[in-house]
Amino acid sequence: MKILVIHQVPDAKIGYRDALDHQSHDVTYIGFPRRMADLPDDLRCVRIELEDGQDLVEGITSRVSRADGFEKVLSLSEFGQLEAWHVRNHLGLPGTSLSRLEQIRDKVSMKEALAESGLRYPRFVAAPMSCRPLPWREKTVLKPRRGASSEDVHVYETAMEALGAYWKLDERHDYQLEEYVEGEILHADGLVSAGALVELVVSRYVNKPIDFVDGLPLGSHQIPFDPRHRAFAEQVVKALEVEEGSLHLEMFETPQGELVFLEVANRVGGAGVITAHLRHRGVHLPAHEIAIRLGLDRPEPAVASGRYHGWLVFPGHHLEGERGHTITIPDHLRTHSCVDQVYELAPTDPLPDHVTYHEWLSPVFIEASHRDAGVLREFLTECARSISVEAGGAE
C-alpha cells in the first residue's frame, strides 16, 4: 500500500517504525523541517520537507498529485484532520466527510450534535448578542472553539465578567462561552472502528488541565471499569458519528456523581496516555489506530501489567529559565514503590517556552503504577503537592 503520512505528532510519541510496516508498504512522510528531523535516519521511506511558514494544505497539494498513486492519507494530529480532508480530496481518496470532521473538531458543533443524545453538556453560547446577558449568571468559561491543551482558556467568576472579556477579543468568532461545571474531570481513551467503540480505559485527572497553563502540575491515573463511563463514551461516539481512529474524551463527574460532557478529540491523548494504556491493556493506541485507518488487522495485544498506571507532568513555560532552574523531589517520593520512571531536565537545560506535556521537554515527568488505583492517586497527589520546580539556581 502506498501511504502519505502528514507528519505533525512527534515520532517519539507515535513510534512509526514499530506502528507501521515500512517494508511491506511504501510510506511517504511530509511535514515541516523541525518535525521531519525527528524521524529515524534509517527508516525506509520517502521524505518531503515543506517550507517553514508555508500553509500546510497548499504545501502538500503542491508537492503531491493523483499521479503519485497514494492509496491512503494518515494524519494523527488534532491540528491536521481537517487539512487531511483537503489533501484526500486533492488526491481523489475517500474518507470521513468534512462535516463530520468539523463536528468533532469544533467545540460548539460537538455540543450541538449532542442535543438529542440525552447526555448532559455545559450550557453554551457561540455568538452572544450585544447588550444581552448570558442565560446564566455564575462562573463562566471563555475558550477557543478549536483549541487544545487548555491554551487561551479563561475562567471568570461571573457571566458578566466573561462577556466583557469576550467583547474585547479581536477574533471573537473563534471563541465560545460556556457555564462552569463543578466536579472532577475524567478522560476516556480508546479506539473506534466502523463506528463502534472497541477499546476504552478511563482515567481521573490530578488537578485540572486549565491549571497547568497557570503553572500547576497535571497528572492522571487509570481507574477501575465502570459501565456508566463505557455507556457515556458509546453515546458520544454514536451522537458525533465518530467513524474510526483514537478517541480522547473528557467529561466531568459532579459531586452528585453525574457525568457531564466536556469535549472530545479523534486522536490519541497526550502526556503519558499512550504509555499508560500500553502497560495497562497491552494495546499501543497509535499502532492500533494506524491499522484501523488503513483497513489492516490490529496488532496482537502485549501482556497487560495487572496494574493501574498514571503520570504527572510539571510545567516550565511560566518560569523565567535563562539562569537555569532548581528541581526538588523529596527522597521518599523518588524511591516510592509506585515510581516506574522519573524524567528530569538537567539544571542548565532550557525550560520549555510553550505549553507542553512531552516528557523530554518538561522539567519533571513521572510515570507511576500500583495495583490499587486509590494508592496511586494518593502518591501522584503528594508528588503534585511536594515536588517543586523553581527558576534560577544554576551557575
Side-chain angles (χ1 to χ4, degrees):
M1 188 183 304
K2 191 166 186 179
I3 304 161
L4 179 66
V5 179
I6 302 175
H7 183 36
Q8 293 172 284
V9 183
D11 182 64
K13 280 294 180 187
I14 303 300
Y16 280 110
R17 184 196 297 278
D18 297 321
L20 180 58
D21 187 344
H22 289 71
Q23 302 305 315
S24 300
H25 304 289
D26 292 326
V27 185
T28 296
Y29 292 89
I30 189 165
F32 294 110
R34 184 176 64 86
R35 183 56 55 231
M36 293 295 291
D38 73 18
L39 290 170
D41 291 337
D42 61 346
L43 194 64
R44 178 184 177 273
C45 64
V46 176
R47 305 160 195 251
I48 302 176
E49 196 169 284
L50 303 176
E51 296 179 11
D52 280 326
Q54 190 174 20
D55 177 82
L56 182 64
V57 174
E58 290 180 2
I60 295 174
T61 55
S62 68
R63 303 292 295 276
V64 299
S65 70
R66 297 189 183 195
D68 293 319
F70 289 109
E71 299 165 80
K72 290 285 186 178
V73 174
L74 273 179
S75 175
L76 303 184
S77 167
E78 183 172 5
F79 297 104
Q81 291 171 357
L82 299 180
E83 289 79 357
W85 180 89
H86 291 284
V87 174
R88 291 190 189 97
N89 188 54
H90 171 72
L91 295 175
L93 300 176
T96 303
S97 69
L98 185 60
S99 60
R100 287 189 180 181
L101 292 172
E102 287 274 8
Q103 193 167 262
I104 303 169
R105 186 72 182 88
D106 181 85
K107 292 174 174 55
V108 170
S109 298
M110 64 180 67
K111 288 192 284 289
E112 290 175 340
L114 294 176
E116 305 299 324
S117 69
L119 299 177
R120 183 186 163 192
Y121 51 85
R123 289 179 291 173
F124 69 98
V125 173
M129 298 182 66
S130 178
C131 300
R132 286 200 180 182
L134 296 178
W136 64 90
R137 296 183 178 180
E138 300 81 12
K139 212 168 182 178
T140 301
V141 182
L142 174 63
K143 63 166 66 172
R145 294 177 58 147
R146 294 186 180 180
S149 302
S150 295
E151 289 195 79
D152 297 320
V153 176
H154 301 281
V155 178
Y156 297 90
E157 289 301 316
T158 67
M160 184 177 295
E161 290 178 74
L163 261 178
Y166 172 85
W167 289 115
K168 292 177 182 177
L169 293 171
D170 292 329
E171 304 291 337
R172 62 179 70 102
H173 60 277
D174 291 332
Y175 285 75
Q176 59 128 31
L177 295 142
E178 66 181 35
E179 65 173 336
Y180 183 88
V181 177
E182 291 288 352
E184 294 189 336
I185 303 179
L186 310 177
H187 63 88
D189 296 275
L191 296 161
V192 178
S193 179
L197 191 64
V198 296
E199 172 73 22
L200 191 74
V201 172
V202 178
S203 302
R204 190 178 301 275
Y205 277 117
V206 176
N207 292 336
K208 295 182 178 181
I210 191 172
D211 297 326
F212 186 82
V213 178
D214 293 330
L216 290 180
L218 177 69
S220 83
H221 64 89
Q222 297 157 343
I223 59 178
F225 173 79
D226 186 329
R228 297 182 309 127
H229 300 154
R230 174 89 187 195
F232 192 95
E234 287 177 336
Q235 285 180 273
V236 170
V237 168
K238 181 179 179 181
L240 269 64
E241 302 178 283
V242 182
E243 295 180 352
E244 62 182 16
S246 290
L247 183 81
H248 180 66
L249 165 66
E250 294 185 332
M251 52 192 167
F252 298 101
E253 187 168 43
T254 70
Q256 296 75 35
E258 182 183 13
L259 298 177
V260 182
F261 175 86
L262 174 53
E263 57 188 54
V264 69
N266 195 186
R267 47 89 175 163
V268 292
V273 167
I274 294 173
T275 300
H277 199 107
L278 174 61
R279 292 173 177 169
H280 180 64
R281 291 278 297 164
V283 172
H284 184 257
L285 291 172
H288 283 244
E289 175 172 15
I290 288 172
I292 289 171
R293 290 191 180 277
L294 296 181
L296 305 173
D297 292 335
R298 291 169 56 195
E300 285 295 320
V303 177
S305 69
R307 298 165 71 89
Y308 296 100
H309 293 263
W311 49 271
L312 186 72
V313 56
F314 284 73
H317 61 270
H318 63 298
L319 300 173
E320 294 291 338
E322 290 83 358
R323 295 181 295 108
H325 58 273
T326 301
I327 296 171
T328 303
I329 304 178
D331 289 341
H332 73 284
L333 294 179
R334 190 183 291 276
T335 60
H336 196 282
S337 60
C338 282
V339 172
D340 291 326
Q341 189 158 354
V342 177
Y343 300 86
E344 295 177 70
L345 287 182
T348 55
D349 285 346
L351 293 171
D353 59 1
H354 60 285
V355 174
T356 178
Y357 300 140
H358 295 325
E359 56 268 34
W360 61 90
L361 295 177
S362 304
V364 180
F365 191 103
I366 297 172
E367 295 175 348
S369 64
H370 198 277
R371 292 188 177 276
D372 186 320
V375 172
L376 179 57
R377 181 171 187 81
E378 290 176 2
F379 168 71
L380 291 173
T381 301
E382 186 178 358
C383 286
R385 183 175 57 246
S386 302
I387 295 173
S388 66
V389 180
E390 298 177 350
E395 296 298 330

mmCIF file of all heavy atoms in Angstrom, residues 4 6 30-32 48-65 83 87 90:
data_model
loop_
_atom_site.group_PDB
_atom_site.id
_atom_site.type_symbol
_atom_site.label_atom_id
_atom_site.label_comp_id
_atom_site.label_asym_id
_atom_site.label_seq_id
_atom_site.Cartn_x
_atom_site.Cartn_y
_atom_site.Cartn_z
ATOM 1 N N LEU A 4 0.577 8.180 2.394
ATOM 2 C CA LEU A 4 1.107 9.516 2.653
ATOM 3 C C LEU A 4 0.810 9.867 4.101
ATOM 4 O O LEU A 4 -0.348 9.899 4.514
ATOM 5 C CB LEU A 4 0.460 10.544 1.718
ATOM 6 C CG LEU A 4 0.919 11.995 1.897
ATOM 7 C CD1 LEU A 4 2.391 12.150 1.509
ATOM 8 C CD2 LEU A 4 0.053 12.954 1.072
ATOM 9 N N ILE A 6 0.979 12.716 6.936
ATOM 10 C CA ILE A 6 1.187 14.118 7.284
ATOM 11 C C ILE A 6 1.787 14.113 8.685
ATOM 12 O O ILE A 6 1.104 13.853 9.674
ATOM 13 C CB ILE A 6 -0.137 14.900 7.247
ATOM 14 C CG1 ILE A 6 -0.776 14.796 5.863
ATOM 15 C CG2 ILE A 6 0.104 16.364 7.609
ATOM 16 C CD1 ILE A 6 -2.148 15.440 5.753
ATOM 17 N N ILE A 30 5.465 13.711 4.962
ATOM 18 C CA ILE A 30 5.542 15.101 4.527
ATOM 19 C C ILE A 30 5.248 16.001 5.713
ATOM 20 O O ILE A 30 4.364 15.729 6.526
ATOM 21 C CB ILE A 30 4.567 15.373 3.356
ATOM 22 C CG1 ILE A 30 4.807 16.754 2.750
ATOM 23 C CG2 ILE A 30 3.109 15.200 3.789
ATOM 24 C CD1 ILE A 30 4.145 16.948 1.390
ATOM 25 N N GLY A 31 6.045 17.056 5.861
ATOM 26 C CA GLY A 31 5.851 17.944 7.008
ATOM 27 C C GLY A 31 6.900 19.044 7.020
ATOM 28 O O GLY A 31 7.727 19.159 6.114
ATOM 29 N N PHE A 32 6.852 19.828 8.104
ATOM 30 C CA PHE A 32 7.777 20.950 8.240
ATOM 31 C C PHE A 32 9.134 20.464 8.784
ATOM 32 O O PHE A 32 9.208 19.417 9.440
ATOM 33 C CB PHE A 32 7.170 22.018 9.135
ATOM 34 C CG PHE A 32 5.945 22.654 8.530
ATOM 35 C CD1 PHE A 32 4.678 22.409 9.067
ATOM 36 C CD2 PHE A 32 6.044 23.471 7.414
ATOM 37 C CE1 PHE A 32 3.542 22.972 8.502
ATOM 38 C CE2 PHE A 32 4.917 24.042 6.836
ATOM 39 C CZ PHE A 32 3.658 23.785 7.381
ATOM 40 N N ILE A 48 9.361 14.274 2.284
ATOM 41 C CA ILE A 48 9.123 15.537 1.577
ATOM 42 C C ILE A 48 9.029 16.643 2.618
ATOM 43 O O ILE A 48 8.166 16.619 3.491
ATOM 44 C CB ILE A 48 7.818 15.493 0.747
ATOM 45 C CG1 ILE A 48 7.864 14.352 -0.268
ATOM 46 C CG2 ILE A 48 7.604 16.829 0.052
ATOM 47 C CD1 ILE A 48 6.575 14.185 -1.057
ATOM 48 N N GLU A 49 9.942 17.594 2.525
ATOM 49 C CA GLU A 49 10.014 18.660 3.525
ATOM 50 C C GLU A 49 9.371 19.935 2.984
ATOM 51 O O GLU A 49 9.708 20.410 1.907
ATOM 52 C CB GLU A 49 11.475 18.912 3.892
ATOM 53 C CG GLU A 49 11.660 19.702 5.157
ATOM 54 C CD GLU A 49 13.119 19.689 5.615
ATOM 55 O OE1 GLU A 49 13.561 18.658 6.167
ATOM 56 O OE2 GLU A 49 13.803 20.706 5.389
ATOM 57 N N LEU A 50 8.431 20.464 3.756
ATOM 58 C CA LEU A 50 7.777 21.716 3.391
ATOM 59 C C LEU A 50 8.606 22.895 3.867
ATOM 60 O O LEU A 50 9.522 22.729 4.687
ATOM 61 C CB LEU A 50 6.373 21.778 4.008
ATOM 62 C CG LEU A 50 5.424 20.633 3.648
ATOM 63 C CD1 LEU A 50 4.114 20.783 4.411
ATOM 64 C CD2 LEU A 50 5.177 20.595 2.147
ATOM 65 N N GLU A 51 8.285 24.072 3.409
ATOM 66 C CA GLU A 51 8.983 25.272 3.855
ATOM 67 C C GLU A 51 8.314 25.819 5.112
ATOM 68 O O GLU A 51 7.088 25.839 5.222
ATOM 69 C CB GLU A 51 8.955 26.341 2.757
ATOM 70 C CG GLU A 51 9.694 25.947 1.487
ATOM 71 C CD GLU A 51 9.600 27.033 0.424
ATOM 72 O OE1 GLU A 51 9.155 28.153 0.768
ATOM 73 O OE2 GLU A 51 9.970 26.764 -0.729
ATOM 74 N N ASP A 52 9.126 26.260 6.058
ATOM 75 C CA ASP A 52 8.591 26.872 7.274
ATOM 76 C C ASP A 52 7.692 28.047 6.913
ATOM 77 O O ASP A 52 8.030 28.854 6.043
ATOM 78 C CB ASP A 52 9.732 27.355 8.182
ATOM 79 C CG ASP A 52 10.330 26.222 8.987
ATOM 80 O OD1 ASP A 52 9.595 25.305 9.369
ATOM 81 O OD2 ASP A 52 11.552 26.260 9.235
ATOM 82 N N GLY A 53 6.565 28.139 7.593
ATOM 83 C CA GLY A 53 5.648 29.242 7.363
ATOM 84 C C GLY A 53 4.678 29.013 6.222
ATOM 85 O O GLY A 53 3.748 29.791 6.024
ATOM 86 N N GLN A 54 4.887 27.945 5.469
ATOM 87 C CA GLN A 54 4.009 27.634 4.347
ATOM 88 C C GLN A 54 2.674 27.095 4.853
ATOM 89 O O GLN A 54 2.607 26.409 5.870
ATOM 90 C CB GLN A 54 4.699 26.584 3.460
ATOM 91 C CG GLN A 54 4.038 26.325 2.128
ATOM 92 C CD GLN A 54 4.883 25.378 1.274
ATOM 93 O OE1 GLN A 54 5.727 24.653 1.786
ATOM 94 N NE2 GLN A 54 4.672 25.403 -0.035
ATOM 95 N N ASP A 55 1.585 27.399 4.177
ATOM 96 C CA ASP A 55 0.299 26.815 4.512
ATOM 97 C C ASP A 55 0.378 25.306 4.306
ATOM 98 O O ASP A 55 0.874 24.838 3.269
ATOM 99 C CB ASP A 55 -0.797 27.412 3.634
ATOM 100 C CG ASP A 55 -2.153 26.785 3.897
ATOM 101 O OD1 ASP A 55 -2.814 27.189 4.862
ATOM 102 O OD2 ASP A 55 -2.534 25.864 3.138
ATOM 103 N N LEU A 56 -0.100 24.548 5.300
ATOM 104 C CA LEU A 56 0.062 23.096 5.256
ATOM 105 C C LEU A 56 -0.609 22.485 4.030
ATOM 106 O O LEU A 56 0.011 21.705 3.291
ATOM 107 C CB LEU A 56 -0.501 22.465 6.526
ATOM 108 C CG LEU A 56 -0.354 20.942 6.650
ATOM 109 C CD1 LEU A 56 1.113 20.551 6.716
ATOM 110 C CD2 LEU A 56 -1.095 20.428 7.881
ATOM 111 N N VAL A 57 -1.866 22.829 3.798
ATOM 112 C CA VAL A 57 -2.590 22.236 2.671
ATOM 113 C C VAL A 57 -1.962 22.656 1.341
ATOM 114 O O VAL A 57 -1.727 21.819 0.453
ATOM 115 C CB VAL A 57 -4.082 22.621 2.709
ATOM 116 C CG1 VAL A 57 -4.791 22.129 1.446
ATOM 117 C CG2 VAL A 57 -4.748 22.027 3.945
ATOM 118 N N GLU A 58 -1.672 23.938 1.193
ATOM 119 C CA GLU A 58 -1.064 24.416 -0.054
ATOM 120 C C GLU A 58 0.290 23.758 -0.286
ATOM 121 O O GLU A 58 0.630 23.384 -1.420
ATOM 122 C CB GLU A 58 -0.910 25.933 -0.016
ATOM 123 C CG GLU A 58 -2.222 26.694 -0.097
ATOM 124 C CD GLU A 58 -2.016 28.196 -0.067
ATOM 125 O OE1 GLU A 58 -0.837 28.630 -0.013
ATOM 126 O OE2 GLU A 58 -3.011 28.937 -0.084
ATOM 127 N N GLY A 59 1.044 23.615 0.794
ATOM 128 C CA GLY A 59 2.356 22.993 0.662
ATOM 129 C C GLY A 59 2.271 21.546 0.212
ATOM 130 O O GLY A 59 3.021 21.108 -0.668
ATOM 131 N N ILE A 60 1.336 20.800 0.813
ATOM 132 C CA ILE A 60 1.213 19.384 0.468
ATOM 133 C C ILE A 60 0.657 19.206 -0.944
ATOM 134 O O ILE A 60 1.190 18.431 -1.748
ATOM 135 C CB ILE A 60 0.319 18.649 1.490
ATOM 136 C CG1 ILE A 60 0.987 18.657 2.876
ATOM 137 C CG2 ILE A 60 0.070 17.207 1.046
ATOM 138 C CD1 ILE A 60 0.130 18.087 3.979
ATOM 139 N N THR A 61 -0.412 19.938 -1.255
ATOM 140 C CA THR A 61 -1.054 19.742 -2.562
ATOM 141 C C THR A 61 -0.178 20.224 -3.726
ATOM 142 O O THR A 61 -0.380 19.812 -4.867
ATOM 143 C CB THR A 61 -2.418 20.453 -2.612
ATOM 144 O OG1 THR A 61 -2.265 21.845 -2.268
ATOM 145 C CG2 THR A 61 -3.392 19.811 -1.633
ATOM 146 N N SER A 62 0.800 21.075 -3.418
ATOM 147 C CA SER A 62 1.720 21.500 -4.474
ATOM 148 C C SER A 62 2.827 20.478 -4.714
ATOM 149 O O SER A 62 3.531 20.543 -5.730
ATOM 150 C CB SER A 62 2.349 22.855 -4.121
ATOM 151 O OG SER A 62 3.228 22.730 -3.007
ATOM 152 N N ARG A 63 2.967 19.520 -3.783
ATOM 153 C CA ARG A 63 4.064 18.544 -3.884
ATOM 154 C C ARG A 63 3.599 17.133 -4.246
ATOM 155 O O ARG A 63 4.432 16.297 -4.597
ATOM 156 C CB ARG A 63 4.830 18.492 -2.549
ATOM 157 C CG ARG A 63 5.392 19.837 -2.091
ATOM 158 C CD ARG A 63 6.517 20.320 -2.986
ATOM 159 N NE ARG A 63 7.670 19.449 -2.918
ATOM 160 C CZ ARG A 63 8.612 19.525 -1.971
ATOM 161 N NH1 ARG A 63 8.529 20.446 -1.013
ATOM 162 N NH2 ARG A 63 9.640 18.701 -1.993
ATOM 163 N N VAL A 64 2.296 16.858 -4.102
ATOM 164 C CA VAL A 64 1.794 15.520 -4.424
ATOM 165 C C VAL A 64 0.575 15.648 -5.336
ATOM 166 O O VAL A 64 -0.119 16.671 -5.332
ATOM 167 C CB VAL A 64 1.421 14.717 -3.156
ATOM 168 C CG1 VAL A 64 2.633 14.531 -2.258
ATOM 169 C CG2 VAL A 64 0.286 15.399 -2.381
ATOM 170 N N SER A 65 0.313 14.592 -6.100
ATOM 171 C CA SER A 65 -0.820 14.607 -7.025
ATOM 172 C C SER A 65 -1.393 13.195 -7.151
ATOM 173 O O SER A 65 -0.813 12.218 -6.655
ATOM 174 C CB SER A 65 -0.389 15.115 -8.398
ATOM 175 O OG SER A 65 0.446 14.161 -9.043
ATOM 176 N N GLU A 83 -7.238 19.475 7.565
ATOM 177 C CA GLU A 83 -6.329 19.656 6.452
ATOM 178 C C GLU A 83 -6.186 18.352 5.653
ATOM 179 O O GLU A 83 -6.082 18.369 4.416
ATOM 180 C CB GLU A 83 -4.963 20.118 6.958
ATOM 181 C CG GLU A 83 -4.937 21.543 7.474
ATOM 182 C CD GLU A 83 -5.491 21.693 8.887
ATOM 183 O OE1 GLU A 83 -5.966 20.674 9.456
ATOM 184 O OE2 GLU A 83 -5.445 22.820 9.422
ATOM 185 N N VAL A 87 -6.444 17.279 1.565
ATOM 186 C CA VAL A 87 -5.414 16.527 0.845
ATOM 187 C C VAL A 87 -6.035 15.299 0.189
ATOM 188 O O VAL A 87 -5.749 14.985 -0.978
ATOM 189 C CB VAL A 87 -4.273 16.125 1.795
ATOM 190 C CG1 VAL A 87 -3.265 15.214 1.080
ATOM 191 C CG2 VAL A 87 -3.560 17.367 2.333
ATOM 192 N N HIS A 90 -7.915 16.323 -2.803
ATOM 193 C CA HIS A 90 -6.962 16.644 -3.874
ATOM 194 C C HIS A 90 -6.470 15.376 -4.569
ATOM 195 O O HIS A 90 -6.266 15.366 -5.791
ATOM 196 C CB HIS A 90 -5.791 17.424 -3.275
ATOM 197 C CG HIS A 90 -4.633 17.632 -4.191
ATOM 198 N ND1 HIS A 90 -4.668 18.500 -5.267
ATOM 199 C CD2 HIS A 90 -3.378 17.063 -4.208
ATOM 200 C CE1 HIS A 90 -3.504 18.475 -5.896
ATOM 201 N NE2 HIS A 90 -2.709 17.617 -5.277
#
